[in-house]
Amino acid sequence: MTDSLEQTEFDTDHIRANNVLRALQEFAAEARRRKAVNALKQVASNQKRQFKGGHVDQAPEYFTEQYLIEPILEQLALEPWPRPVDLVKDERNRPDYSLRQVAPNCLAIAESKALNRERNHGDATEDVHKYLRDETFLKTLRREEVRYSVGVATDGLKWRLVARDIEQGVQTEVGACSIAGPVEMVLEKAHSEVDPEENWMPNARHRVADTLVATFSRENIVNTAIEGLQS
């Protein structure tokens, strides 16, 4: 990239944010390959617009997971593990991901929806609340001697973090942000045949670092949860 980062010049949050922007550019490149840039840009710019499978010739939720949510979770260093079977007995009722690079005293999951399903309906947040309250999870937590559980709810654009203090029996939403703006921007730049890394990159990197990364990255997610539960 013309706007490359060096460890000695930027902190971890900004390096993570830069990597998230790279993932967004890959998402835009895939949209361009499928001739779906305009359709996805309209979805990103209008939370009431429905993302239909015909836009990408694939199930909307699967496309969103594969090309947007999973790459972002990976760049947040959370190590997403799709469709885990070790957390619940009934495999038909399981979270979409376990997140395996969070602190040892914290069990972490993620729920994903197609673009705009979380912004418009909060479906993923509702699912996360149910999982974190579930007695099966509590048994897993007690067995592993885990104090906290956290759940990420997202459609790739809207991100929410729900946390539970097992000892206190307290559960609440502790953080939220939107990266619809940066997603819309990379989709806009996907039309260009010239170098897409223009002056928008530093501002976008700071925005992603101060919102998404500051709340959801491996380095920050547990502290965000604890501070939110104690406030």
Side-chain angles (χ1 to χ4, degrees):
M1 297 180 66
T2 57
D3 187 28
S4 61
L5 299 183
E6 297 293 339
Q7 180 73 42
T8 57
E9 297 179 5
F10 293 88
D11 62 23
T12 300
D13 282 5
H14 283 82
I15 293 172
R16 295 254 184 263
N18 194 71
N19 292 339
V20 168
L21 290 179
R22 287 176 181 265
L24 297 188
Q25 289 176 312
E26 290 296 321
F27 170 74
E30 181 63 24
R32 182 175 180 177
R33 188 179 74 82
R34 299 186 185 216
K35 298 180 172 58
V37 170
N38 284 335
L40 293 181
K41 188 157 68 77
Q42 290 174 19
V43 172
S45 65
N46 183 351
Q47 72 178 57
K48 294 184 179 180
R49 186 177 290 272
Q50 183 179 358
F51 175 30
K52 298 179 181 179
H55 294 151
V56 293
D57 195 28
Q58 194 172 29
E61 186 167 326
Y62 184 81
F63 177 84
T64 306
E65 286 179 348
Q66 184 176 4
Y67 294 105
L68 186 59
I69 293 173
E70 287 184 20
I72 291 174
L73 291 173
E74 289 168 357
Q75 297 306 332
L76 294 172
L78 295 175
E79 193 178 319
W81 189 269
R83 281 43 174 188
V85 298
D86 58 334
L87 299 179
V88 292
K89 293 181 179 179
D90 184 356
E91 294 185 14
R92 295 169 300 177
N93 185 30
R94 64 189 175 195
D96 291 327
Y97 301 94
S98 64
L99 305 176
R100 301 195 169 188
Q101 282 297 327
V102 182
N105 68 335
C106 182
L107 184 147
I109 63 171
E111 273 294 295
S112 62
K113 301 296 179 184
L115 294 174
N116 274 346
R117 285 292 301 277
E118 178 62 18
R119 283 206 296 179
N120 204 14
H121 302 288
D123 291 349
T125 299
E126 182 179 345
D127 289 346
V128 164
H129 274 290
K130 288 190 291 187
Y131 281 123
L132 297 189
R133 290 193 185 101
D134 190 280
E135 286 298 318
T136 303
F137 273 95
L138 294 182
K139 291 176 183 177
T140 300
L141 293 171
R142 293 190 185 106
R143 184 177 70 246
E144 302 295 337
E145 297 182 354
V146 172
R147 169 69 185 271
Y148 302 101
S149 58
V150 298
V152 176
T154 184
D155 58 8
L157 303 174
K158 183 72 177 183
W159 293 73
R160 292 188 174 98
L161 182 63
V162 178
R164 183 177 180 87
D165 184 327
I166 305 307
E167 290 186 6
Q168 301 297 323
V170 176
Q171 180 170 314
T172 188
E173 183 179 318
V174 295
C177 72
S178 172
I179 60 167
V183 171
E184 186 179 355
M185 181 64 73
V186 296
L187 289 168
E188 176 66 31
K189 297 299 180 181
H191 283 300
S192 177
E193 296 292 342
V194 299
D195 184 358
E197 295 160 17
E198 300 170 355
N199 293 335
W200 67 276
M201 286 287 288
N203 288 337
R205 183 169 60 245
H206 285 296
R207 178 175 176 180
V208 171
D210 292 343
T211 56
L212 181 74
V213 176
T215 299
F216 295 92
S217 76
R218 181 180 66 191
E219 293 79 14
N220 300 320
I221 191 169
V222 176
N223 286 339
T224 300
I226 294 173
E227 290 173 4
L229 287 165
Q230 294 176 346
S231 63

